[in-house]
Amino acid sequence: ILELKKDFTIVVASNNNRLRVTKFLHGICDYVCDALKPTKRLYRKVKKRYNIESKDCAIIGDQFVTDVILVNRVGFYTILVDPIGKDGKVSFFNRKLEKRIKEKIQFKDGEYFEKD
């Protein structure tokens, strides 16, 4: 995050509560807690707060359901990464759903990269 901040405005959007998010991100970058991903409200709020256009935003996320599907509908560029931690109950359900979606999806205007 610190390296990216040199060239980009970084905002972390998390569905976690303020206490948990602040514990990890205070002083590092701006953040939105209780983000209610994947609602459109979050993305409108970010665009307004930073006075930016959708075409100038990229979302990096590890869940297809919350971080990619809606974001593509509001016009942000998306980058799907592999998860690095264990999932909670909601994330576990989302992962099962996204596995089914990924089996059927065809990557149209993008590329898929896998770590060697």
Side-chain angles (χ1 to χ4, degrees), residues 30-116:
D30 197 6
Y31 48 87
V32 177
C33 308
D34 302 310
L36 301 176
K37 293 186 297 179
T39 65
K40 285 185 179 182
R41 180 185 144 274
L42 165 68
Y43 304 107
R44 283 192 298 257
K45 182 177 181 178
V46 169
K47 283 172 56 173
K48 183 177 179 180
R49 181 185 291 176
Y50 295 95
N51 192 28
I52 51 179
E53 297 295 320
S54 294
K55 66 179 180 58
D56 297 322
C57 295
I59 301 296
I60 302 170
D62 69 346
Q63 286 195 32
F64 194 82
V65 174
T66 58
D67 300 325
V68 175
I69 292 176
L70 180 71
V71 175
N72 282 337
R73 287 184 29 217
V74 296
F76 289 14
Y77 182 77
T78 55
I79 301 166
L80 183 63
V81 297
D82 291 329
I84 58 173
K86 292 187 177 186
D87 293 327
K89 290 179 183 176
V90 174
S91 295
F92 178 77
F93 173 77
N94 286 346
R95 299 262 185 242
K96 286 177 119 2
L97 179 60
E98 81 180 24
K99 183 178 178 186
R100 296 173 109 192
I101 293 169
K102 283 179 169 180
E103 289 170 353
K104 295 180 182 183
I105 195 167
Q106 293 179 8
F107 289 90
K108 294 183 181 173
D109 296 312
E111 297 181 48
Y112 178 73
F113 295 95
E114 262 193 55
K115 192 174 168 179
D116 290 337

Side-chain angles (χ1 to χ4, degrees), residues 1-41:
I1 291 175
L2 296 175
E3 191 67 29
L4 289 171
K5 280 177 60 173
K6 293 176 183 176
D7 299 309
F8 302 98
T9 299
I10 304 297
V11 180
V12 173
S14 174
N15 286 341
N16 274 299
N17 63 56
R18 179 170 301 283
L19 180 63
R20 182 172 177 149
V21 175
T22 301
K23 178 180 176 181
F24 289 98
L25 295 172
H26 182 72
I28 295 174
C29 67
D30 197 6
Y31 48 87
V32 177
C33 308
D34 302 310
L36 301 176
K37 293 186 297 179
T39 65
K40 285 185 179 182
R41 180 185 144 274

